Amino acid sequence: MPLDLEICTNNNHVISRSSINMDGNNKTTQIQKRKKWFFLSLLPLLVLLTFFTSYNSKTPFYRYPIYQETTLKTPDFVESKMKILPTSQNPVPKIAYLISGSRGDGESLKRTLKALYHPLNQYAVHLDLEAPPDERLDLMDFVEKESVFREVGNVRVVAKSNLVTYRGPTMVSNTLHAMAILLKEGGSWDWFINLSASDYPLVTQDDLLHVLSTIPRELNFIEHTSDIGWKEFQRARPVIIDPGFYSSQKSDVFWVPENRGIPTAFKLYTGSAWMMLSRPFVEYCLWGWDNLPRTVLMYYANFLSSPEGYFHTVICNVEEFKNTTVNHDLHFISWDNPPKQHPHFLTVEDYEKMVNSNAPFARKFGRKEEVMDKIDSEILGTDVNGFVPGNWLVRENGNSTVGSYAVVNNSSELRPGSGADRLKHLIRKLLSEDNFHPRQCTSIPL
């Protein structure tokens, strides 16, 4: 019995060795449990301590300064997200034309359209509401039945005609309308040109496209100056109302008794109503992501002869476009001195001056003028059907002098003639060091 010895305590209790061992084990277990709970209670404190001590660490555990970096960044504005789209890289450029007219201009418009036609281009034709319904329907019928137009599908008649008031801002509204149609439905084109039924080309489209293929496509041909002179008191300060915005009957504009001051938020420019504008600038005029085109448009809604100032003022007040201007409207126009509201009607006596101007377009022509026949025969080579022949156009019946046509596939193969040489001379002069940058958005008189 040596393993079960009894031990006497001071209080006369008898405790066996096995009991001592059992009690010792219980105490050890209790101590271990206390240590476990002690460490568990310390764990949150250790986590917090690690959290705060890692504030400036470079470990991936904590990167709280992200919020601070975000607040220090330059804020993004909606306007900064809108970027000017790059121009096309097609070897041969494409032109979007607006050809507009009014009562009695239907036949002239058809003739001008055919003389300007090329399958690479896009066309919007418009007879305003002053033209009777049968004249507008005749134009639509002409476009639908012409086999070349039907095959290519690049001629559109503006079905919802606008009322364009003489001297009023409704002409600007009509131009913007045509731009929107051509951007939406015309595919990829490079320049927009606005013409009237009384305009006529002095070069073939092969001549024009050939020369334009050699210059930057962000250029805008728009005659302009900030020297508004007499127009300040006769056009800028008076306030006019154009009935064409709310009436179905054409009438002249009328004046409000009070005048207004010259704008201080933007600078006024004036010039020719005829222009060739780049696609990026046309998109800017319609989208207007910094709101300037709409602001200027609201101002010019009460401006007499606003087509001679709206696009000029917009382009010269925008940093991205003011250095893209070429100060010329690409037209030969014969004015009185001082100029009146309308230029002279051109005749055969003006033919040599037209040719020597090297301009690709001329105006103003009367209906069935003899000089237009001279241009057809000596410059354009127009055939009996009114089209200007090129590699894109062949007769279905080679032995026939009249009849149907078929468009061939090599429409991008141009056949430039002497008109290209004349136009090159003009473009070279306009883009020279003496004329290009010094005449951009300046006060040089026209």
Side-chain angles (χ1 to χ4, degrees):
M1 40 183 271
L3 298 176
D4 194 18
L5 297 176
E6 294 181 351
I7 301 174
C8 295
T9 63
N10 294 331
N11 55 3
N12 296 322
H13 286 173
V14 178
I15 303 174
S16 66
R17 188 180 296 273
S18 61
S19 298
I20 294 173
N21 291 338
M22 185 179 296
D23 290 343
N25 291 337
N26 289 337
K27 290 180 180 179
T28 301
T29 302
Q30 291 175 0
I31 292 172
Q32 290 176 346
K33 287 182 177 181
R34 289 192 189 103
K35 289 181 178 180
K36 178 180 179 181
W37 286 110
F38 175 75
F39 284 112
L40 286 175
S41 65
L42 285 178
L43 184 59
L45 181 62
L46 293 173
V47 171
L48 289 174
L49 183 63
T50 306
F51 184 84
F52 286 110
T53 55
S54 63
Y55 182 85
N56 293 321
S57 69
K58 296 182 180 180
T59 64
F61 176 76
Y62 177 72
R63 288 189 177 274
Y64 184 76
I66 290 176
Y67 175 78
Q68 187 177 7
E69 291 176 1
T70 303
T71 58
L72 294 178
K73 286 176 63 178
T74 302
D76 289 328
F77 295 101
V78 174
E79 294 91 337
S80 65
K81 298 296 184 183
M82 304 296 291
K83 302 297 182 183
I84 299 173
L85 296 178
T87 55
S88 72
Q89 300 300 315
N90 298 323
V92 180
K94 302 175 183 180
I95 300 173
Y97 282 98
L98 164 63
I99 310 172
S100 56
S102 188
R103 176 188 293 271
D105 289 335
E107 294 303 316
S108 297
L109 195 153
K110 294 176 189 178
R111 180 173 184 172
T112 299
L113 172 61
K114 281 191 171 184
L116 289 167
Y117 186 79
H118 195 283
L120 291 178
N121 297 333
Q122 297 292 325
Y123 301 85
V125 292
H126 175 263
L127 282 175
D128 76 352
L129 279 179
E130 189 182 32
D134 58 343
E135 190 174 12
R136 299 202 304 273
L137 290 173
D138 178 69
L139 178 63
M140 295 182 68
D141 188 61
F142 163 76
V143 172
E144 289 176 358
K145 291 183 178 179
E146 176 54 59
S147 60
V148 173
F149 301 159
R150 187 171 61 250
E151 180 179 347
V152 181
N154 60 343
V155 179
R156 298 164 182 81
V157 179
V158 179
K160 187 175 177 59
S161 295
N162 301 294
L163 186 61
V164 180
T165 306
Y166 169 66
R167 297 193 298 172
T170 39
M171 184 180 290
V172 174
S173 175
N174 182 60
T175 302
L176 292 171
H177 183 200
M179 287 176 172
I181 292 173
L182 291 165
L183 279 177
K184 180 182 178 182
E185 302 179 4
S188 175
W189 46 264
D190 301 282
W191 277 287
F192 170 86
I193 296 178
N194 66 323
L195 300 172
S196 75
S198 59
D199 288 70
Y200 209 65
L202 299 176
V203 298
T204 69
Q205 289 303 289
D206 279 10
D207 292 336
L208 182 59
L209 297 177
H210 171 72
V211 175
L212 293 182
S213 66
T214 65
I215 66 174
R217 297 183 189 180
E218 64 268 15
L219 294 179
N220 292 275
F221 291 78
I222 178 169
E223 185 184 68
H224 60 281
T225 179
S226 63
D227 181 18
I228 62 176
W230 58 269
K231 294 182 180 180
E232 175 182 344
F233 297 96
Q234 295 190 27
R235 295 185 180 180
R237 292 186 179 274
V239 178
I240 61 103
I241 304 295
D242 186 350
F245 283 127
Y246 59 84
S247 175
S248 60
Q249 301 297 322
K250 181 176 288 191
S251 60
D252 197 7
V253 300
F254 60 88
W255 279 258
V256 175
E258 293 80 9
N259 284 353
R260 60 183 173 182
I262 298 298
T264 57
F266 48 86
K267 189 174 184 179
L268 295 181
Y269 287 81
T270 187
S272 171
W274 314 104
M275 58 203 75
M276 184 172 80
L277 304 177
S278 68
R279 184 184 181 108
F281 180 63
V282 169
E283 290 178 339
Y284 173 74
C285 288
L286 294 177
W287 286 103
W289 49 85
D290 66 354
N291 207 40
L292 178 67
R294 283 180 288 272
T295 300
V296 177
L297 183 63
M298 294 179 73
Y299 172 80
Y300 273 94
N302 303 113
F303 194 103
L304 193 67
S305 299
S306 56
E308 298 176 5
Y310 171 68
F311 294 102
H312 318 67
T313 297
V314 171
I315 200 168
C316 283
N317 282 275
V318 181
E319 196 68 29
E320 292 86 348
F321 293 106
K322 68 180 184 180
N323 292 325
T324 66
T325 58
V326 182
N327 208 327
H328 199 279
D329 63 2
L330 300 180
H331 272 72
F332 172 83
I333 305 176
S334 180
W335 294 96
D336 286 312
N337 189 15
K340 296 179 180 179
Q341 184 67 39
H342 291 290
H344 291 294
F345 281 100
L346 299 174
T347 65
V348 174
E349 286 71 26
D350 298 300
Y351 179 79
E352 292 298 329
K353 290 182 288 185
M354 282 189 281
V355 174
N356 293 334
S357 73
N358 298 324
F361 308 102
R363 73 182 317 270
K364 183 175 186 179
F365 292 96
R367 296 163 188 164
K368 299 181 180 180
E369 284 286 349
E370 181 183 353
V371 67
M372 298 175 72
D373 297 332
K374 188 176 180 66
I375 293 171
D376 283 344
S377 60
E378 298 188 12
I379 296 179
L380 303 179
T382 305
D383 63 19
V384 293
N385 281 340
F387 288 104
V388 179
N391 288 333
W392 62 273
L393 190 61
V394 296
R395 297 184 186 278
E396 291 178 346
N397 184 353
N399 296 324
S400 175
T401 57
V402 295
S404 299
Y405 287 87
V407 179
V408 298
N409 293 326
N410 60 345
S411 58
S412 60
E413 294 183 9
L414 305 178
R415 195 166 68 192
S418 59
D421 295 330
R422 290 187 283 107
L423 184 56
K424 281 181 183 177
H425 182 77
L426 173 65
I427 298 297
R428 191 178 300 114
K429 178 181 177 181
L430 294 175
L431 299 183
S432 66
E433 293 184 3
D434 295 334
N435 290 295
F436 184 40
H437 290 299
R439 295 178 59 84
Q440 290 177 328
C441 299
T442 68
S443 60
I444 298 176
L446 296 175

